[in-house]
Every structure is written in structure tokens, then in C-alpha cells.
Amino acid sequence: MAFFSKAPARWLRYVAGSYGMAVLGGGIVLIMSLAALCAPWLAPYQPDALHLDAILQPPCPDFLLGTDVLGRDVFSRMLYGGRVSLWVGFVAVGISVSIGLTLGLVAGYFGGWVDECIMRGVDVMLCFPSFFLVLAVIAFLEPSLLNIMVVIGLTSWMGVARLVRAETMSLKQRDFIAAARLSGSRTSKILFMHILPNALAPVLVSATLGIAGAILLESSLSFLGLGVQPPDASWGNMLMDGKNVLEIAPWLSLYPGLAILITVLGYNLLGESLRDIFDPRLKEQR
Amino acid sequence: MQRPTLFSVQLGALAMRCGKKILWMLLVLWGITLISFWVIHLAPGSPTDMEITLNPLASEGARQQLEALYGLDQPLYVQYWEWLSRLAHLDFGNSLSADSRPVLEKILERLPLTVGMNVISLILTLLLAVPLGILSAWKQNSLFDRAVTVLVFLGFAMPSFWLALLLMMYCGIDHAWLPISGLTSMDYAQLSVWGKVRDVSAHLLLPIIVYTVGSLAGMSRFMRSCMLEVLRQDFILTARAKGLPARTVIFGHALRNALLPLITLLGLSVPGLIGGSVIVESIFALPGLGQLFYGAVMARDYTMIMGNLVLAAVLTLAGNILADVCYGLADPRIRGSQKEA
């Protein structure tokens, strides 16, 4: 307690200096997630309720961020659109991290031709014109939230696989792994109980940044009309609607984009600061 | 006179490496075509949907005729084999859309616009990112560095289509400085040569800004971290310790080393640029490759989609190889290590 009472200002400066980015990023992520989760209670209107007497209203006390072409409340739709972003971010990254973790562990631990095969596969996937393929596959499979999440997940696991492989290769040389092997642990136990927990820190960083990427990708797809389908709201398809009336209703194109910017910024800040916290040596370099 | 022979040995090693690399790349290309072909053909929907299902007068017989015409009634592996053997002669087949022109012809007429815009914006990006990165690294943690870092984070988080919308709103609608869609104005045909050039440039300015901002953040951040990495090394300390002016240390000693990794990054940025063109071109209604692909996807034009995917993959792989070769040529240490290997 003495520490706090003596120099609160200095303590505050210390926290802001070392964790400022983390607090800011985490705060943004927390607020955005809460807003999305509590959308049914926070939204003043139903997201698809039409107010045909109030079409294309600019922001006003009744409609905080205005209304769109069909008189739907932009603020309510943005809250529900936040759920889409949150959902896509977590599920897509969940899929890509699971694939990347498993392949990376196997490649790094077993080495040899297994490693060779997996890493060549990673090379092929990295050369894939992935946005083209994602676009084609989603257009063919009927655009839907589920398809987007799966396709984004399936085309973005390579970074995690490389990270985990490198970590595993260095971890398996350590004494505690040798000890586990000598004491007769099964390989699967060594992989998932001993190596995995020690390789998680960089994965967490990469996953946080991956959520940001997935949110951006989903909004681009929705903007092209290949993502979340109307009448469901997502930030991307709200912008698509707004584009057609850019000249008379600019607020429709303004706020959903701002929401994407802030959310992605939040996840990026959080990811970068986690990296610094987990590996302070790197901080000097960046 | 040992130097020329040593150099030619190194060049030979480099050529050997390139040969191996190209073989591997061909294999990768084949893998990419295999996966994409099956994914695309097995997905629900067919190119005949547009012409048959949407037309109440067309019978089931007409669909079968059309499928036979396109070769879609064959088993998938036959279709793939035929497509692949045609590809070996650089024949991408005919588009399955109504005009049924050769895919290659349609792609080639769209290519210059997309590639041109990307090259211009890449040059702009480099011209801006390299000085920004150098300055931020040299003045690490200064006010300038912090300001650039904030901008970089904003740039990373900025959806390109939103930036495009904002620019259209500000420059196109509020101030009416620039046209916001298409490649040419209505009165294009009547303009003089100089007027035509001005007209097209005015139409391309906003898209190029969007492209440039999109890659600027990543590039300048990367440049900064490469520069920091180099600046911490002993030979920089030596150079500074013997009293060389900052300019000589930065441009004479540090920059050449810091630029090397940038070559690799440029090679790797190709897929992103190709993907980005779909969005930018669809917003600004530019008749480029991205729009062609988007249209093909929507019409399930198999041959056109495959043609675009192959082209994108070839460009990506070419970027990788080029980066590799340039890296080898630019960095004597790598040339040396290849000889030993």
C-alpha cells in the first residue's frame, strides 16, 4: 500500500507506459464485445424494424445514428452487426488455430518426411491466391455466416502452423521433454500436455491479430455482397447499402466503417501489446 | 585474377538453385490448379444455371445440350485432364459466358489496368515507406516515431473499401474535385490526347490512393523494424564511433542492409494486391481484372475462374522467385553460402 500512497502519479505513469497499449486495446475489445453481446437489451429498436415514415433520417435523438433506405435504425443494426464480427472473428480463428496447432506440433515434433510434407503444404497454401478462392467458394456455396467462418478458418492457419512448428522444434530439445519421454509418457500426452502449453504464448498473439484479420475479411466479403445476407445486418453489408446513397445519406457509410476501424484497431493493439508482454526482449526491436 | 571465376561459380550455383526453385514452383502450381479445379467444380451450382433455370422456356434437354457443349457431362477427372492438357499449350479455353471469347484474350485486355495501377501504387508506397521507416527508426521513440506508429496502426485497421467511400464522399461529392467511378468521362471520345490522359489520371487518382494507403502501413512498419535491427549491429556502432556523420551511417552503411528484407516482402505482397483489386475495382467501377473475376464468379464461368486463379498463382509464384533471385544477387553473403551448400 505504501507504494500506492507514496507515488500514485509515478505508478500511473508506469502502468500507462508499459501497459497503455494493452489497456487501450483490451478496453476497446471489451466494450465492443459487451455491446455486441448485449445488443438485444441495448438496441432501441429491432434491427429489421422498418420505420417507413422516417426513411433516410440523419442522426437525431430518436435515431442516434440515423436510419437507412428502409427506415431501419442504424445504431440498432450496428449493435447486431457487431455480433457477426465477434462471432466470425472467434470461430474463424478457432478453426485456423486448431488446424495450425495440430499440424505445427506434429511437424515440429516428428520432423523428417512428416515435417517436409506439412511444411510444403503450408508453402502451397501460402502461394494460393486465397482471396480469389475464398470469393469463389463462398459465392458457390451460397453466402452465409457459417460458410464464411469455415472458409476463412481453412485458408488462414499457415502462420500458426509455422509458429508452433518452430516453438516445438526448440522445446523438444529441452530436458523436461526428455524426462517425460524417459518416464514413458505417450507421445500424444507429451505433445498436448507438455509442449502445447509452453508454445501457447505466441499462438495467443497470432490469434488476437488473426481475429482482426478475420473481421476485416468478413466485412470486405459482406461489402461485395458475398457475406452476411440481408436482412441480417453486418458492418460490411451496411456499408454496401450505404454506398448506393452516398450522396444523400453519407452517415450510412460513415458509422459502420468507423466501427470496423475501431474494433480491428482494438484487436491489433491488444495483440501487439501481448507480444511485448510475453517477450519483452522483442520490444527493443520494434 | 580469381574474382571472375569465383563470380561465375556463384552465378552457376544461383542458376542451379533457380532451376530447382522453378521445378518446385511448377509442382506448386499444379497443386493449386488441382485443388481449385475440384473445389470449384464440386461446389453446387453450374454455369448452365443462368441460361436454363432463369429461363422458363428452356427445357431439361436444352440444359443437357448446353452441358455437352461445355463438356460438363464428362466425369470430373476427364474434364480436369482435358483442361490441364489445354493449359499446357497456354490455351485457357473459351469463356462460358454469352460471348464465349477465349479466356486469355479477355484476361489480357483487362490486365494492363490492374497491373498498371498496382505498379504505380507500389512505387508510391516504396517512395513514402522507405523514408518514413528510416526516420522512425533513426529517431526511435521520438514524437515523429510515435506519430507514425499511430498512423500505422490506423492504416492496418482501415478497411480499404471504407477509405474508398470516405475519399469518394470528400473528394468526389462534397468538393467535386475528382470523378468517383469508371475509367473515363462521358465526353472522353471528344477530348484531345492530352485531355484523355488527364481524364484517365483523374479517374485513377482515388483508386491509387486507396491502394497506396493499404500497403503503406505494413511497408513502413517493416522498414522501421529492419532498420532498427541493422542499427543495433556492431558495424554501425563502429561507424558512429569513428565519427562518421549520421547521413553517411544511414545511407552508406545501414540502408543497404535494411533494404534487403524488403525485397522478400515485395515478392510476398503479390497475392494481397491481386485480392485487393477485386474490392477497389468494384467500388470505383474500373474495368480491371478484379471485376472480371467477380463477374465470372457470379456467373459460375468455370473456365474464366480457373484462368484467373492460374494467372494469380503464376503472378504470386513469379513474385516469390523474383524476390529470391534479387535477394541472391543483392546479398553477397547468400551467394557465398550457396556455393558452400
Side-chain angles (χ1 to χ4, degrees):
Chain A
M1 278 319 282
F3 178 76
F4 292 98
S5 55
K6 255 183 191 168
R10 190 194 291 168
W11 180 76
L12 210 70
R13 215 181 305 141
Y14 169 75
V15 171
S18 19
Y19 298 109
M21 239 166 65
V23 172
L24 183 62
I28 293 176
V29 167
L30 197 68
I31 291 174
M32 284 298 180
S33 310
L34 280 179
L37 288 174
C38 303
W41 297 282
L42 288 176
Y45 303 94
Q46 284 296 311
D48 42 9
L50 310 179
H51 304 275
L52 293 174
D53 52 340
I55 285 171
L56 291 179
Q57 288 281 318
C60 60
D62 271 351
F63 302 100
L64 278 179
L65 300 179
T67 59
D68 67 2
V69 194
L70 297 172
R72 294 174 295 194
D73 181 43
V74 172
F75 180 61
S76 310
R77 286 181 73 70
M78 272 176 58
L79 286 172
Y80 278 89
R83 306 188 124 191
V84 169
S85 297
L86 193 68
W87 198 225
V88 168
F90 277 89
V91 176
V93 167
I95 295 174
S96 74
V97 166
S98 328
I99 300 176
L101 263 182
T102 317
L103 290 180
L105 277 177
V106 170
Y109 190 76
F110 293 108
W113 64 269
V114 180
D115 179 36
E116 191 70 14
C117 284
I118 293 178
M119 288 338 272
R120 293 293 82 82
V122 167
D123 285 349
V124 174
M125 286 299 289
L126 280 177
C127 286
F128 241 94
S130 60
F131 190 77
F132 269 29
L133 192 73
V134 168
L135 207 65
V137 170
I138 286 177
F140 280 27
L141 292 178
E142 299 304 317
S144 78
L145 192 56
L146 182 74
N147 287 339
I148 294 181
M149 297 189 296
V150 173
V151 173
I152 295 180
L154 287 180
T155 48
S156 58
W157 49 268
M158 293 83 76
V160 176
R162 282 192 163 174
L163 266 178
V164 174
R165 170 178 174 267
E167 286 287 312
T168 309
M169 282 171 64
S170 85
L171 280 172
K172 77 172 176 187
Q173 311 288 345
R174 302 273 196 86
D175 292 341
F176 73 97
I177 297 298
R181 216 180 295 164
L182 276 176
S183 63
S185 292
R186 273 179 290 118
T187 312
S188 60
K189 191 178 174 194
I190 295 179
L191 279 181
F192 289 100
M193 300 295 289
H194 295 301
I195 294 186
L196 182 61
N198 286 294
L200 268 186
V203 173
L204 195 63
V205 171
S206 147
T208 314
L209 298 175
I211 292 178
I215 291 176
L216 266 182
L217 192 51
E218 181 276 328
S219 64
S220 328
L221 287 169
S222 291
F223 181 77
L224 288 173
L226 291 171
V228 176
Q229 294 298 295
D232 290 342
S234 102
W235 294 337
N237 74 20
M238 292 177 74
L239 283 174
M240 175 180 71
D241 292 341
K243 183 188 171 233
N244 300 327
V245 286
L246 196 60
E247 287 163 57
I248 48 174
W251 61 90
L252 290 181
S253 306
L254 203 58
Y255 301 116
L258 201 59
I260 301 174
L261 179 77
I262 292 176
T263 311
V264 172
L265 188 66
Y267 282 103
N268 279 341
L269 284 174
L270 189 63
E272 293 283 335
S273 51
L274 283 180
R275 195 200 309 258
D276 291 344
I277 292 169
F278 288 143
D279 197 350
R281 279 167 303 164
L282 280 175
K283 197 166 184 180
E284 284 298 297
Q285 296 172 23
R286 278 174 305 109
Chain B
M1 286 272 97
Q2 202 190 358
R3 196 164 167 76
T5 46
L6 187 65
F7 190 66
S8 64
V9 167
Q10 288 168 346
L11 269 188
L14 191 69
M16 183 79 176
R17 217 170 91 93
C18 285
K20 265 190 203 159
K21 190 98 187 161
I22 287 173
L23 265 182
W24 160 240
M25 290 287 171
L26 281 176
L27 205 67
V28 171
L29 189 61
W30 176 70
I32 290 178
T33 64
L34 188 72
I35 299 174
S36 354
F37 193 91
W38 286 72
V39 165
I40 284 168
H41 282 252
L42 286 177
S46 134
T48 56
D49 283 354
M50 282 287 222
E51 285 144 299
I52 305 294
T53 322
L54 300 178
N55 182 355
L57 292 176
S59 65
E60 188 53 35
R63 173 195 281 272
Q64 281 164 9
Q65 273 183 355
L66 206 56
E67 284 190 344
L69 177 70
Y70 292 154
L72 297 175
D73 50 348
Q74 312 263 355
L76 207 50
Y77 62 89
V78 177
Q79 288 184 45
Y80 178 66
W81 176 246
E82 282 182 356
W83 178 82
L84 199 63
S85 44
R86 269 189 278 127
L87 187 70
H89 311 108
L90 285 183
D91 175 8
F92 288 79
N94 290 337
S95 163
L96 301 187
S97 65
D99 62 2
S100 63
R101 286 167 54 206
V103 167
L104 195 60
E105 195 182 302
K106 284 178 92 168
I107 288 182
L108 284 181
E109 70 186 26
R110 300 290 190 108
L111 200 59
L113 179 63
T114 303
V115 171
M117 277 196 301
N118 275 310
V119 168
I120 293 175
S121 76
L122 209 56
I123 293 173
L124 278 180
T125 310
L126 280 178
L127 286 180
L128 289 170
V130 171
L132 274 182
I134 294 175
L135 262 179
S136 319
W138 185 250
K139 307 258 177 221
Q140 193 185 3
N141 296 328
S142 66
L143 194 65
F144 175 79
D145 181 30
R146 278 160 204 268
V148 170
T149 304
V150 170
L151 286 180
V152 161
F153 268 97
L154 284 178
F156 270 132
M158 176 78 93
S160 62
F161 51 94
W162 190 53
L163 179 66
L165 287 180
L166 290 183
L167 285 173
M168 281 162 92
M169 225 187 285
Y170 190 74
C171 303
I173 296 169
D174 289 356
H175 295 271
W177 288 328
L178 292 167
I180 56 173
S181 85
L183 185 58
T184 52
S185 306
M186 305 268 248
D187 55 353
Y188 182 72
Q190 282 94 51
L191 291 173
S192 63
V193 177
W194 175 234
K196 281 183 180 171
V197 171
R198 273 189 49 175
D199 188 49
V200 172
S201 336
H203 279 86
L204 290 183
L205 190 59
L206 288 186
I208 287 178
I209 293 178
V210 172
Y211 275 125
T212 308
V213 172
S215 41
L216 189 57
M219 200 83 91
S220 63
R221 192 71 178 168
F222 188 73
M223 189 66 216
R224 177 178 177 270
S225 62
C226 291
M227 198 69 186
L228 282 178
E229 179 83 36
V230 173
L231 286 179
R232 278 187 296 110
Q233 287 178 17
D234 290 343
F235 72 94
I236 297 292
L237 195 66
T238 313
R240 293 180 73 178
K242 70 181 179 183
L244 289 179
R247 192 184 301 164
T248 319
V249 176
I250 294 181
F251 293 104
H253 297 77
L255 183 59
R256 290 160 69 182
N257 289 288
L259 277 178
L260 281 175
L262 208 61
I263 298 176
T264 315
L265 185 75
L266 283 180
L268 287 176
S269 66
V270 176
L273 293 178
I274 296 172
S277 67
V278 178
I279 295 172
V280 173
E281 283 169 16
S282 93
I283 297 178
F284 289 103
L286 293 171
L289 211 57
Q291 271 224 328
L292 184 70
F293 182 74
Y294 184 71
V297 164
M298 284 316 188
R300 302 221 179 340
D301 186 343
Y302 288 158
T303 45
M304 187 56 101
I305 296 173
M306 286 308 296
N308 273 293
L309 278 172
V310 169
L311 180 82
V314 167
L315 285 179
T316 307
L317 293 174
N320 281 356
I321 291 195
L322 219 61
D324 231 47
V325 172
C326 291
Y327 206 110
L329 288 176
D331 191 343
R333 284 167 302 185
I334 289 199
R335 258 189 273 137
S337 69
Q338 272 154 25
K339 194 173 55 107
E340 286 157 28

